[in-house]
Amino acid sequence: MNAQLERVERQIGLSLAVWGAASIAAGTALQVLADGERTKAFGRQTSAWGGVDLAIAGIAHLRARRRDRALGDDDRKRLNRILVVNAVLDLGYVAGGASMFSQADRIAAGWPKPGAYTGDQLRGDGAAVMVQGAFLLVHDSVFAARTR
């Protein structure tokens, strides 16, 4: 079980790192190359999420390298619990992104600093949050099932 759980941990970190790096690359390209503010906002939000994903993967990798003991059943249960909680949070990200997307004009109009964000920018942000949340929902759910 120790080797299998360590392999799953590595797979989680690697897939999150690849997604994070791809998100940074794609998001940056959209910010630089896109014409519309919705697409630029989508790129900005995508890059930001990619940076967070990459940082989480890096920290997890460093912690795993510094571990001085074998993994056991308690570690598997803990990882599973974290993944299940994350999957629930991921549902919230998708719902929050959908709400931002659908209510973008109302949110922009009520923003404390008038003109800081447009409805199109908020729709781009909302769409990116939905995409990132959906990926993380699938990612965390698959690995939660594998650690059950």
Side-chain angles (χ1 to χ4, degrees):
M1 153 128 73
N2 295 345
Q4 181 181 355
L5 186 56
E6 288 175 7
R7 188 170 33 258
V8 168
E9 273 192 339
R10 279 193 305 276
Q11 291 169 347
I12 290 170
L14 180 61
S15 58
L16 194 57
V18 168
W19 176 260
S23 293
I24 291 170
T28 301
L30 287 172
Q31 288 177 79
V32 171
L33 301 174
D35 290 332
E37 51 183 26
R38 183 185 301 190
T39 306
K40 284 184 181 292
F42 183 93
R44 182 189 67 245
Q45 189 72 236
T46 298
S47 292
W49 279 76
V52 170
D53 291 339
L54 200 53
I56 291 169
I59 291 166
H61 175 73
L62 290 174
R63 288 185 71 196
R65 289 190 64 198
R66 292 181 180 163
R67 187 180 299 124
D68 60 355
R69 61 178 182 78
L71 295 175
D73 195 49
D74 287 345
D75 296 302
R76 180 195 56 76
K77 289 177 185 175
R78 181 176 174 274
L79 178 58
N80 179 264
R81 226 180 351 261
I82 290 168
L83 290 165
V84 168
V85 167
N86 282 351
V88 172
L89 293 172
D90 300 336
L91 283 170
Y93 299 143
V94 173
S99 178
M100 184 185 296
F101 186 90
S102 68
Q103 301 297 316
D105 291 327
R106 188 174 63 76
I107 295 168
W111 205 263
K113 183 179 175 189
Y117 289 99
T118 67
D120 265 354
Q121 288 172 320
L122 291 170
R123 276 186 282 284
D125 286 330
V129 171
M130 285 188 286
V131 169
Q132 294 292 321
F135 166 78
L136 291 171
L137 175 60
V138 171
H139 181 270
D140 293 340
S141 297
V142 165
F143 284 109
R146 290 186 60 196
T147 57
R148 223 171 3 158

